[in-house]
Amino acid sequence: MKDPYEVLGVNRNASQEEIKKAYRKLASEYHPDKYIDNPLRNLAEEKMREINEAYEYLMKNNGKYVSEEELLYNVRIDIQQGNFSEAERKLNSINNRSAEWFFLMGIINQRKGWYDGAYDCFQKAHSMDPGNREYNQAFNSLNRRNDNYREPYGKDKDHDLCQICTTLYCLDCLCESMGGDFIPCC
Amino acid sequence: MFGYVIPCKMELKIKDYEKVKAYYCGLCRAIKYNFGNMPRITINYDMTFLAIFLDALDSHKNEYIHSNCILHPFKKRNFIVNNSPLEYASFINVILAYHKLLDDIDDDNSFKSKIFSILLKGYLKKIPTQYIKTKDHIVKKLEKLYSLEKSGNVENLDELSHPFGELTAHSILDYYNDEKYQENLYYLGYNLGKWIYIMDAFDDLEKDLNHNKFNGINAVLNKDNLPYNEFRESVKSRINFILTSYARECSEILNSLPIEKNDEILYNIFNYGLLEKMDFVFKKEESTK
């Protein structure tokens, strides 16, 4: 959706009255009846649809409109402040799902402990915008945390005797090459 | 969906190994005294874990006895007795076992489950009033889970496993509800419950696909109706990622809880046991090839 203020040609703090006035003026200008037998008819219809949509939106939301970029920025602030349910509500109100949308949704899912959702969202953000550092980093850091958690399990906890022998042998060789001797008998 | 939360035996100290066994036998004994001999066969390790975990939050000293039991008449075993987490776990154990049977009947009309559930039903009357609330809670969460499973429009595995996570979380909170640790206890149970649910679904994937039974992972992720082998390969890393994440979360939360005893057993379960079980299920396929 385009910015409804731009479509109606009014400024951002216009009153309801001003919006109505601007709408009526534009509606009469682009009314389809005026464009019968006119090659610009399709264009006028398109414009009319936009005007109607913008007008309805502003009337329904009491003349408040926040663009998607602003909304996504607000979501980031909510996330930073730990206000996740509000952030999620705002995200859900956006229909256009961009890479950034998926990235932010992934962060929220991660904080909620919904790791399947987070995995899915991060993958989508990555496939839509593979070069984005921020998106890749978020997913990688999650993977790193998992790797750290796995580490003690994967490690061989027993230092066997052979390992000790080779260590001593190497140490002796090193000492001898420097002129000293760690194990005198060999 | 039982028996996944167990310690990694090889990393346990002998004393802790014996302690786990004594909890297991103690739980079996508690079921016997609270219900009767027949329900004893429903005992499982997840409920043993529940008792070990809840008992760990309490500083009192355990009371052991050394005696025979009906299944092992010639070799004496150690039992933990007079232990309230064990009593509590015995009730949860039988409630869950009964509802699992009902679910099996619903799924495939299994004759064995039918007989068994009828036999078990009589014992359920023995649940004391103080646990009725917990039972209703469990039943409510299970109903929610089954209706989600049947609805067929679930977007991701989190949504599907959510009720089982809540069920596990409330099974812990209904026993031990300390305001200071409430949130941590909730999330530990929540993550563990989801881990169990998804683990179980992944473990049963082949069986369920071959018998055309419901499987959570298949229902949510298999959009193109891939055959078993291809599907398993395609979701393997995703499942591995989420299971590890849940397990890691549990292990991180454990550090912030006021653990009074059994700490090495719990550390073992969350840092080795869960991963060992995952290894086992993930490698099961390769070893049969």
Side-chain angles (χ1 to χ4, degrees):
Chain A
M1 185 180 154
K2 281 188 184 168
D3 186 339
Y5 289 104
E6 260 173 50
V7 174
L8 294 177
V10 289
N11 70 30
R12 290 199 161 243
N13 30 31
S15 68
Q16 294 263 20
E17 274 312 306
E18 283 170 310
I19 292 171
K20 271 184 196 159
K21 217 166 116 193
Y23 169 70
R24 276 194 215 108
K25 190 168 156 258
L26 283 170
S28 66
E29 208 171 297
Y30 289 100
H31 199 275
D33 291 351
K34 283 191 176 170
Y35 290 86
I36 307 170
D37 301 330
N38 190 317
L40 294 174
R41 191 188 156 101
N42 284 341
L43 218 62
E45 273 175 4
E46 175 68 20
K47 186 84 185 157
M48 194 64 212
R49 237 193 321 275
E50 270 176 21
I51 295 164
N52 280 330
E53 197 188 19
Y55 179 69
E56 266 166 40
Y57 184 93
L58 288 182
M59 286 296 117
K60 212 166 66 196
N61 296 297
N62 277 329
K64 280 195 198 86
Y65 171 78
V66 189
S67 71
E68 264 162 27
E69 290 90 72
E70 278 175 78
L71 215 54
L72 285 177
Y73 180 73
N74 289 343
V75 168
R76 273 176 196 267
I77 290 175
D78 282 334
I79 289 177
Q80 263 169 23
Q81 290 171 345
N83 203 348
F84 299 113
S85 53
E86 176 61 22
E88 193 176 1
R89 200 188 57 74
K90 278 185 189 144
L91 274 185
N92 280 325
S93 73
I94 300 175
N95 292 323
N96 173 25
R97 309 208 153 164
S98 58
E100 191 179 7
W101 188 93
F102 280 111
F103 163 70
L104 293 172
M105 201 51 160
I107 299 274
I108 292 172
N109 271 321
Q110 181 199 328
R111 294 296 173 88
K112 266 203 313 194
W114 282 40
Y115 286 102
D116 188 43
Y119 184 90
D120 202 29
C121 286
F122 284 144
Q123 294 265 311
K124 277 187 183 136
H126 173 74
S127 67
M128 288 163 98
D129 186 359
N132 191 307
R133 271 243 190 103
E134 191 186 16
Y135 307 164
N136 296 341
Q137 216 169 25
F139 191 50
N140 288 342
S141 91
L142 259 187
N143 271 323
R144 217 168 16 248
R145 276 168 77 190
N146 281 352
D147 289 345
N148 286 342
Y149 164 67
R150 271 182 166 277
E151 210 193 323
Y153 174 76
K155 210 161 37 186
D156 188 6
K157 275 143 293 223
D158 299 320
H159 294 287
D160 50 18
L161 220 56
C162 283
Q163 217 179 337
I164 298 173
C165 290
T166 32
T167 317
L168 286 177
Y169 173 72
C170 287
L171 191 63
D172 188 43
C173 287
L174 283 172
C175 285
E176 276 165 11
S177 69
M178 301 287 281
D181 196 5
F182 181 64
I183 307 167
C185 63
C186 58
Chain B
M1 47 181 75
F2 299 128
Y4 290 104
V5 187
I6 50 175
C8 168
K9 195 171 146 190
M10 291 307 175
E11 294 290 340
L12 270 183
K13 282 184 181 161
I14 301 281
K15 66 165 185 183
D16 287 324
Y17 176 61
E18 291 294 335
K19 214 153 122 193
V20 172
K21 272 179 32 185
Y23 270 105
Y24 185 76
C25 291
L27 177 61
C28 189
R29 199 183 129 100
I31 297 175
K32 178 183 156 191
Y33 284 104
N34 289 327
F35 292 96
N37 269 319
M38 201 280 281
R40 287 168 86 177
I41 49 172
T42 64
I43 187 175
N44 64 69
Y45 274 106
D46 292 351
M47 291 304 127
T48 313
F49 161 76
L50 182 68
I52 292 174
F53 177 71
L54 293 176
D55 205 26
L57 299 167
D58 196 331
S59 60
H60 77 96
K61 234 175 134 88
N62 282 336
E63 202 179 311
Y64 291 88
I65 58 165
H66 192 61
S67 109
N68 294 50
C69 85
I70 196 166
L71 285 171
H72 311 95
F74 302 114
K75 200 163 179 264
K76 286 193 168 181
R77 312 251 150 177
N78 291 320
F79 299 82
I80 293 177
V81 291
N82 297 333
N83 179 289
S84 63
L86 278 176
E87 304 288 313
Y88 177 74
S90 76
F91 289 111
I92 306 282
N93 187 81
V94 174
I95 294 168
L96 277 174
Y98 175 68
H99 286 279
K100 167 92 177 95
L101 287 170
L102 292 189
D103 181 43
D104 286 347
I105 298 171
D106 208 41
D107 267 6
D108 51 5
N109 220 353
S110 137
F111 183 67
K112 223 167 70 194
S113 308
K114 247 182 203 165
I115 300 283
F116 205 53
S117 70
I118 292 166
L119 286 174
L120 207 55
K121 197 171 180 188
Y123 290 101
L124 283 182
K125 293 190 192 106
K126 296 191 175 176
I127 295 171
T129 43
Q130 76 210 75
Y131 296 128
I132 293 291
K133 217 183 93 203
T134 311
K135 183 189 146 225
D136 292 343
H137 223 123
I138 289 177
V139 174
K140 216 170 80 196
K141 293 290 169 212
L142 284 175
E143 273 167 5
K144 210 167 144 204
L145 177 65
Y146 299 149
S147 74
L148 264 183
E149 285 183 349
K150 287 197 183 86
S151 77
N153 57 3
V154 182
E155 235 173 72
N156 56 38
L157 291 171
D158 297 307
E159 201 183 330
L160 186 66
S161 55
H162 182 75
F164 200 77
E166 289 218 303
L167 185 155
T168 316
H170 284 292
S171 301
I172 292 173
L173 286 179
D174 277 350
Y175 179 82
Y176 186 90
N177 203 345
D178 186 311
E179 226 166 72
K180 196 171 154 206
Y181 298 107
Q182 198 176 30
E183 202 183 318
N184 282 339
L185 287 168
Y186 174 87
Y187 277 111
L188 186 128
Y190 181 70
N191 278 297
L192 189 65
K194 288 174 100 170
W195 184 88
I196 294 173
Y197 184 83
I198 291 173
M199 192 67 186
D200 180 56
F202 195 64
D203 197 13
D204 291 344
L205 193 60
E206 184 172 17
K207 206 175 76 205
D208 289 348
L209 281 183
N210 288 341
H211 295 94
N212 248 332
K213 274 169 66 177
F214 176 87
N215 183 290
I217 296 175
N218 183 48
V220 176
L221 298 180
N222 200 350
K223 300 264 193 276
D224 309 320
N225 270 325
L226 293 174
Y228 168 70
N229 280 332
E230 278 175 51
F231 176 61
R232 189 188 149 102
E233 277 311 306
S234 72
V235 293
K236 217 169 139 183
S237 66
R238 179 168 179 164
I239 302 294
N240 192 1
F241 173 82
I242 44 186
L243 286 178
T244 313
S245 302
Y246 293 150
R248 170 179 54 76
E249 199 94 332
C250 290
S251 144
E252 282 169 7
I253 296 169
L254 183 71
N255 294 332
S256 61
L257 291 174
I259 302 294
E260 304 275 357
K261 56 175 184 280
N262 299 345
D263 47 344
E264 289 196 28
I265 303 176
L266 292 174
Y267 180 84
N268 177 303
I269 291 176
F270 286 126
N271 289 284
Y272 302 131
L274 297 183
L275 287 171
E276 187 183 46
K277 196 83 209 176
M278 279 164 65
D279 253 15
F280 174 75
V281 171
F282 276 86
K283 285 186 181 144
K284 194 170 66 173
E285 188 70 356
E286 278 101 73
S287 60
T288 52
K289 261 178 197 164

